[in-house]
Amino acid sequence: MSTRFNNKVALVTGAGSGIGRSTALLLAQQGAKVVVSDINLDAAEKVAAEIIAAGGHAVANKTDTSHPEEMKQAVEFAVESFGALHLAFNNAGILGEVNPIAELSIDAWRRVIDINLNAVFYGLHYQIPAILKSGGGAIVNTASILGLVGTKNISGYVAAKHGVTG
């Protein structure tokens, strides 16, 4: 086990699967104490259990990143669980409804923007003060190639990822 992130606390959103899961596992392998955050608590608990079984430190947290009060709670949970926050990975995201703009529902647009863009702001809003109070650290926000170019039928996703890149 690497010691690169010994004595560091990391919060990873969307950590119940995919890139978030892989990142949570890697941070733990490198010594971080990890808050495995996901809207799916069962998935988050499985990843946390995997980290603990491998000798790491982790706790699971259910967070709907599209709600600012839940992002605040996730940061508070990290600090309460491990005494600080040093690293954050705002990774939770969805593709959303695949339709031309004229056929895209307003609710689908809002949901993608809330999860893929607004949630990054909510995370930063609460993570930055906690990280500064802990002595500093780093934050990574997930975008994608579609934060640089466009494509048809996923306008909400493209707009949100351009916003994160910006």
Side-chain angles (χ1 to χ4, degrees), residues 8-73:
K8 301 296 181 192
V9 177
L11 169 63
V12 180
T13 68
S17 63
I19 293 169
R21 176 185 172 275
S22 296
T23 301
L25 293 171
L26 183 60
L27 285 166
Q29 288 169 359
Q30 295 186 358
K33 297 172 184 172
V34 182
V35 176
V36 179
S37 177
D38 202 279
I39 196 166
N40 180 336
L41 183 58
D42 289 339
E45 287 173 339
K46 287 177 184 170
V47 175
E50 217 176 321
I51 290 169
I52 292 165
H57 301 278
V59 291
N61 181 256
K62 183 182 187 306
T63 307
D64 181 341
T65 60
S66 70
H67 297 288
E69 64 279 359
E70 291 197 31
M71 286 299 289
K72 179 181 181 191
Q73 179 276 331

Coordinates of all heavy atoms in Angstrom, one line a residue, residues 8-73:
K8 N -4.7 11.8 5.0 CA -5.5 12.7 4.1 C -6.9 12.0 4.1 O -7.1 10.8 4.1 CB -5.0 12.8 2.7 CG -3.6 13.4 2.7 CD -3.5 14.8 3.2 CE -2.1 15.4 3.1 NZ -1.9 16.6 3.8
V9 N -7.9 12.9 4.0 CA -9.3 12.5 4.0 C -9.8 12.9 2.6 O -9.7 14.1 2.2 CB -10.1 13.1 5.1 CG1 -11.6 12.7 5.0 CG2 -9.6 12.7 6.5
A10 N -10.5 12.0 1.9 CA -11.0 12.2 0.6 C -12.5 12.0 0.5 O -13.0 11.0 1.1 CB -10.3 11.3 -0.4
L11 N -13.2 12.8 -0.2 CA -14.6 12.7 -0.4 C -14.8 12.5 -1.9 O -14.4 13.3 -2.7 CB -15.4 13.9 0.0 CG -16.9 14.0 -0.4 CD1 -17.7 12.9 0.2 CD2 -17.4 15.4 0.0
V12 N -15.4 11.3 -2.3 CA -15.6 11.0 -3.7 C -17.1 10.8 -4.0 O -17.8 10.0 -3.3 CB -14.9 9.7 -4.1 CG1 -15.1 9.4 -5.6 CG2 -13.4 9.8 -3.8
T13 N -17.7 11.7 -4.8 CA -19.1 11.5 -5.2 C -19.3 10.6 -6.4 O -18.4 10.5 -7.2 CB -19.8 12.9 -5.5 OG1 -19.3 13.4 -6.7 CG2 -19.6 13.9 -4.3
G14 N -20.4 9.9 -6.4 CA -20.6 9.0 -7.5 C -19.6 7.8 -7.3 O -19.2 7.2 -8.3
A15 N -19.3 7.5 -6.1 CA -18.3 6.5 -5.8 C -18.8 5.1 -5.7 O -18.0 4.1 -5.5 CB -17.5 6.8 -4.5
G16 N -20.1 4.9 -6.0 CA -20.6 3.5 -5.9 C -20.4 2.7 -7.1 O -20.6 1.5 -7.1
S17 N -19.9 3.3 -8.2 CA -19.6 2.5 -9.4 C -18.7 3.3 -10.3 O -18.4 4.5 -10.1 CB -20.9 2.3 -10.2 OG -21.5 3.5 -10.6
G18 N -18.2 2.7 -11.4 CA -17.4 3.3 -12.4 C -16.2 4.0 -12.0 O -15.4 3.5 -11.1
I19 N -16.0 5.2 -12.6 CA -14.8 6.0 -12.3 C -14.7 6.4 -10.8 O -13.6 6.4 -10.2 CB -14.8 7.3 -13.2 CG1 -14.6 6.9 -14.6 CG2 -13.7 8.3 -12.7 CD1 -14.9 8.1 -15.6
G20 N -15.9 6.7 -10.2 CA -15.9 7.1 -8.8 C -15.4 5.9 -7.9 O -14.6 6.1 -7.0
R21 N -15.9 4.7 -8.2 CA -15.5 3.5 -7.4 C -14.0 3.3 -7.6 O -13.3 3.1 -6.6 CB -16.2 2.3 -7.9 CG -15.8 1.0 -7.3 CD -16.5 -0.2 -7.9 NE -15.9 -1.4 -7.4 CZ -14.9 -2.0 -7.9 NH1 -14.3 -1.5 -9.0 NH2 -14.4 -3.2 -7.4
S22 N -13.5 3.3 -8.8 CA -12.1 3.1 -9.1 C -11.2 4.1 -8.4 O -10.2 3.8 -7.8 CB -11.8 3.2 -10.6 OG -12.5 2.1 -11.2
T23 N -11.7 5.4 -8.4 CA -10.9 6.5 -7.7 C -10.9 6.3 -6.2 O -9.9 6.4 -5.6 CB -11.5 7.8 -8.1 OG1 -11.5 8.0 -9.5 CG2 -10.7 9.0 -7.4
A24 N -12.1 5.9 -5.6 CA -12.1 5.7 -4.2 C -11.2 4.5 -3.8 O -10.4 4.6 -2.8 CB -13.6 5.3 -3.8
L25 N -11.2 3.5 -4.6 CA -10.3 2.3 -4.3 C -8.8 2.8 -4.4 O -8.0 2.4 -3.5 CB -10.6 1.2 -5.2 CG -11.9 0.5 -5.1 CD1 -12.1 -0.5 -6.2 CD2 -12.0 -0.2 -3.7
L26 N -8.5 3.5 -5.4 CA -7.1 4.0 -5.6 C -6.6 4.9 -4.5 O -5.5 4.8 -4.0 CB -6.9 4.6 -7.0 CG -5.5 5.1 -7.3 CD1 -4.6 3.9 -7.4 CD2 -5.6 5.8 -8.7
L27 N -7.5 5.9 -4.1 CA -7.1 6.8 -3.0 C -6.9 6.0 -1.7 O -5.9 6.3 -1.0 CB -8.3 7.8 -2.8 CG -8.3 8.9 -3.9 CD1 -9.6 9.6 -3.8 CD2 -7.2 9.9 -3.7
A28 N -7.7 5.0 -1.4 CA -7.6 4.2 -0.3 C -6.3 3.4 -0.3 O -5.5 3.3 0.7 CB -8.8 3.2 -0.1
Q29 N -6.0 2.8 -1.5 CA -4.7 2.1 -1.7 C -3.5 2.9 -1.4 O -2.4 2.5 -1.0 CB -4.6 1.5 -3.1 CG -5.6 0.3 -3.3 CD -5.6 -0.1 -4.8 OE1 -5.0 0.5 -5.7 NE2 -6.4 -1.1 -5.1
Q30 N -3.7 4.2 -1.6 CA -2.6 5.2 -1.4 C -2.6 5.8 -0.1 O -1.9 6.8 0.2 CB -2.5 6.2 -2.6 CG -2.2 5.5 -3.9 CD -2.0 6.5 -5.0 OE1 -2.2 7.7 -4.9 NE2 -1.7 6.0 -6.2
G31 N -3.5 5.3 0.8 CA -3.4 5.7 2.2 C -4.5 6.7 2.7 O -4.6 7.0 3.9
A32 N -5.4 7.2 1.8 CA -6.4 8.1 2.2 C -7.5 7.4 2.9 O -7.8 6.2 2.7 CB -7.0 8.8 0.9
K33 N -8.1 8.1 3.8 CA -9.4 7.7 4.4 C -10.5 8.3 3.5 O -10.5 9.5 3.2 CB -9.5 8.3 5.8 CG -8.4 7.8 6.8 CD -8.4 8.6 8.1 CE -7.3 8.1 8.9 NZ -7.1 8.9 10.1
V34 N -11.4 7.4 3.1 CA -12.3 7.8 2.0 C -13.7 7.8 2.4 O -14.2 6.8 3.0 CB -12.1 6.8 0.8 CG1 -13.0 7.2 -0.4 CG2 -10.7 6.8 0.3
V35 N -14.4 8.9 2.1 CA -15.9 8.9 2.2 C -16.4 8.5 0.8 O -16.2 9.3 -0.2 CB -16.4 10.3 2.6 CG1 -17.9 10.3 2.6 CG2 -15.8 10.7 4.0
V36 N -17.0 7.4 0.8 CA -17.6 6.8 -0.5 C -19.0 7.3 -0.5 O -19.9 6.8 0.2 CB -17.6 5.3 -0.4 CG1 -18.2 4.7 -1.7 CG2 -16.1 4.8 -0.2
S37 N -19.2 8.3 -1.4 CA -20.5 9.0 -1.5 C -21.2 8.6 -2.8 O -20.6 8.7 -3.8 CB -20.3 10.5 -1.4 OG -21.5 11.2 -1.5
D38 N -22.5 8.3 -2.6 CA -23.3 7.9 -3.8 C -24.8 8.1 -3.5 O -25.2 8.0 -2.3 CB -23.0 6.5 -4.3 CG -23.3 6.2 -5.7 OD1 -24.5 6.0 -6.0 OD2 -22.4 6.3 -6.5
I39 N -25.6 8.3 -4.5 CA -27.0 8.4 -4.3 C -27.6 7.0 -3.9 O -28.6 6.8 -3.3 CB -27.7 8.9 -5.5 CG1 -29.2 9.4 -5.2 CG2 -27.7 8.0 -6.7 CD1 -29.8 10.2 -6.2
N40 N -26.8 5.9 -4.4 CA -27.2 4.5 -4.1 C -26.4 4.1 -2.8 O -25.2 3.7 -3.0 CB -26.9 3.7 -5.3 CG -27.2 2.2 -5.1 OD1 -27.3 1.7 -3.9 ND2 -27.5 1.5 -6.2
L41 N -27.0 4.1 -1.7 CA -26.3 3.8 -0.4 C -25.7 2.4 -0.4 O -24.6 2.1 0.0 CB -27.1 4.0 0.8 CG -26.5 3.8 2.1 CD1 -25.2 4.6 2.3 CD2 -27.5 4.0 3.3
D42 N -26.5 1.4 -1.0 CA -26.0 0.0 -1.0 C -24.7 -0.1 -1.8 O -23.8 -0.8 -1.4 CB -27.1 -0.9 -1.7 CG -28.3 -1.1 -0.8 OD1 -28.2 -0.9 0.5 OD2 -29.4 -1.5 -1.3
A43 N -24.7 0.6 -3.0 CA -23.4 0.6 -3.8 C -22.3 1.2 -3.0 O -21.2 0.7 -3.0 CB -23.7 1.3 -5.1
A44 N -22.5 2.3 -2.4 CA -21.5 3.0 -1.6 C -21.0 2.1 -0.5 O -19.8 2.0 -0.2 CB -22.0 4.3 -1.0
E45 N -21.9 1.4 0.2 CA -21.5 0.5 1.3 C -20.7 -0.6 0.8 O -19.7 -1.0 1.5 CB -22.7 0.0 2.0 CG -23.4 1.1 2.9 CD -24.7 0.7 3.5 OE1 -25.4 -0.3 3.0 OE2 -25.1 1.3 4.5
K46 N -21.0 -1.1 -0.4 CA -20.2 -2.2 -1.0 C -18.7 -1.8 -1.3 O -17.8 -2.5 -1.0 CB -20.8 -2.8 -2.2 CG -22.1 -3.6 -1.9 CD -22.7 -4.1 -3.2 CE -24.0 -4.8 -2.8 NZ -24.8 -5.1 -4.0
V47 N -18.6 -0.6 -1.8 CA -17.3 0.0 -2.1 C -16.5 0.2 -0.8 O -15.3 -0.1 -0.7 CB -17.3 1.2 -3.0 CG1 -16.0 1.9 -3.2 CG2 -18.0 0.9 -4.3
A48 N -17.2 0.8 0.2 CA -16.5 1.0 1.5 C -16.1 -0.3 2.1 O -15.0 -0.4 2.6 CB -17.5 1.8 2.4
A49 N -16.9 -1.3 2.0 CA -16.5 -2.6 2.6 C -15.3 -3.2 1.8 O -14.5 -3.8 2.5 CB -17.7 -3.6 2.5
E50 N -15.3 -3.0 0.5 CA -14.1 -3.4 -0.3 C -12.8 -2.8 0.2 O -11.8 -3.4 0.3 CB -14.4 -3.1 -1.7 CG -13.9 -4.0 -2.7 CD -14.3 -3.6 -4.2 OE1 -15.4 -3.1 -4.4 OE2 -13.5 -3.8 -5.0
I51 N -12.9 -1.5 0.5 CA -11.7 -0.7 1.0 C -11.3 -1.2 2.3 O -10.1 -1.5 2.6 CB -12.1 0.8 1.0 CG1 -12.2 1.3 -0.4 CG2 -11.0 1.5 1.8 CD1 -12.7 2.7 -0.5
I52 N -12.3 -1.4 3.2 CA -12.0 -1.9 4.6 C -11.4 -3.3 4.5 O -10.4 -3.6 5.2 CB -13.2 -1.8 5.5 CG1 -13.6 -0.4 5.7 CG2 -13.0 -2.6 6.8 CD1 -15.0 -0.1 6.2
A53 N -12.0 -4.2 3.7 CA -11.5 -5.6 3.6 C -10.0 -5.6 3.1 O -9.3 -6.5 3.4 CB -12.3 -6.4 2.6
A54 N -9.6 -4.6 2.3 CA -8.2 -4.5 1.8 C -7.3 -3.8 2.8 O -6.1 -3.5 2.5 CB -8.2 -3.7 0.5
G55 N -7.8 -3.4 4.0 CA -7.0 -2.8 5.0 C -7.1 -1.3 5.0 O -6.3 -0.7 5.8
G56 N -8.0 -0.7 4.3 CA -8.1 0.8 4.2 C -9.1 1.3 5.2 O -9.8 0.5 5.9
H57 N -9.4 2.6 5.1 CA -10.4 3.2 6.0 C -11.4 3.9 5.1 O -11.0 4.7 4.2 CB -9.7 4.3 6.9 CG -8.6 3.7 7.8 ND1 -8.9 3.1 9.0 CD2 -7.3 3.7 7.6 CE1 -7.8 2.7 9.5 NE2 -6.8 3.1 8.7
A58 N -12.7 3.6 5.3 CA -13.7 4.2 4.5 C -15.0 4.1 5.2 O -15.3 3.3 6.1 CB -13.9 3.4 3.2
V59 N -15.9 5.1 4.9 CA -17.3 5.1 5.3 C -18.1 5.4 4.1 O -17.7 6.1 3.2 CB -17.5 6.2 6.4 CG1 -16.8 5.7 7.7 CG2 -17.0 7.5 6.0
A60 N -19.3 4.9 4.1 CA -20.3 5.2 3.0 C -21.2 6.3 3.4 O -21.5 6.4 4.6 CB -21.1 3.9 2.8
N61 N -21.6 7.0 2.5 CA -22.6 8.2 2.7 C -23.5 8.3 1.5 O -23.1 8.3 0.4 CB -21.7 9.5 2.9 CG -22.6 10.6 3.2 OD1 -22.9 11.5 2.3 ND2 -23.1 10.7 4.4
K62 N -24.8 8.4 1.8 CA -25.8 8.6 0.8 C -25.9 10.1 0.5 O -26.2 10.8 1.4 CB -27.2 8.0 1.2 CG -28.2 8.1 0.1 CD -29.6 7.6 0.5 CE -30.6 7.5 -0.5 NZ -30.8 8.8 -1.3
T63 N -25.7 10.5 -0.7 CA -25.8 11.9 -1.1 C -26.4 12.0 -2.5 O -25.9 11.4 -3.4 CB -24.3 12.5 -1.1 OG1 -23.7 12.3 0.1 CG2 -24.4 14.0 -1.4
D64 N -27.4 12.9 -2.5 CA -28.0 13.3 -3.8 C -27.3 14.6 -4.1 O -27.7 15.6 -3.5 CB -29.5 13.4 -3.7 CG -30.1 13.9 -5.1 OD1 -29.4 14.4 -5.9 OD2 -31.3 13.7 -5.2
T65 N -26.3 14.6 -4.9 CA -25.5 15.8 -5.2 C -26.2 17.0 -5.7 O -25.8 18.1 -5.7 CB -24.3 15.5 -6.1 OG1 -24.8 15.0 -7.3 CG2 -23.4 14.4 -5.5
S66 N -27.4 16.7 -6.3 CA -28.2 17.8 -6.9 C -28.9 18.7 -5.8 O -29.5 19.7 -6.2 CB -29.3 17.2 -7.8 OG -30.3 16.5 -7.2
H67 N -28.8 18.3 -4.5 CA -29.3 19.1 -3.4 C -28.2 19.7 -2.6 O -27.4 19.0 -2.0 CB -30.2 18.2 -2.6 CG -31.4 17.6 -3.3 ND1 -32.5 18.4 -3.6 CD2 -31.7 16.4 -3.7 CE1 -33.4 17.7 -4.3 NE2 -32.9 16.4 -4.3
P68 N -28.1 21.0 -2.6 CA -27.0 21.7 -1.8 C -26.9 21.2 -0.4 O -25.8 21.0 0.1 CB -27.3 23.2 -2.0 CG -28.7 23.3 -2.5 CD -29.0 22.0 -3.1
E69 N -28.1 21.0 0.3 CA -28.0 20.7 1.7 C -27.4 19.3 1.9 O -26.8 19.0 2.9 CB -29.4 20.7 2.4 CG -30.4 19.8 1.8 CD -31.1 20.3 0.5 OE1 -30.8 21.4 0.0 OE2 -32.0 19.5 0.0
E70 N -27.6 18.4 0.9 CA -26.9 17.1 1.0 C -25.4 17.1 0.7 O -24.7 16.4 1.3 CB -27.7 16.1 0.0 CG -29.1 15.8 0.5 CD -29.7 14.5 -0.1 OE1 -28.9 13.6 -0.4 OE2 -30.9 14.5 -0.2
M71 N -25.0 18.0 -0.2 CA -23.6 18.2 -0.4 C -22.9 18.8 0.9 O -21.8 18.4 1.3 CB -23.3 19.1 -1.6 CG -23.6 18.4 -2.9 SD -22.5 17.0 -3.2 CE -20.9 17.8 -3.4
K72 N -23.6 19.7 1.5 CA -23.1 20.2 2.8 C -23.0 19.1 3.8 O -22.0 19.0 4.5 CB -24.1 21.3 3.3 CG -23.6 21.9 4.6 CD -24.6 23.0 5.1 CE -24.1 23.6 6.5 NZ -25.1 24.4 7.1
Q73 N -24.0 18.3 3.9 CA -24.0 17.2 4.8 C -22.9 16.2 4.5 O -22.2 15.7 5.5 CB -25.4 16.5 4.8 CG -25.5 15.3 5.7 CD -25.0 14.0 5.2 OE1 -25.0 13.8 3.9 NE2 -24.5 13.1 6.0

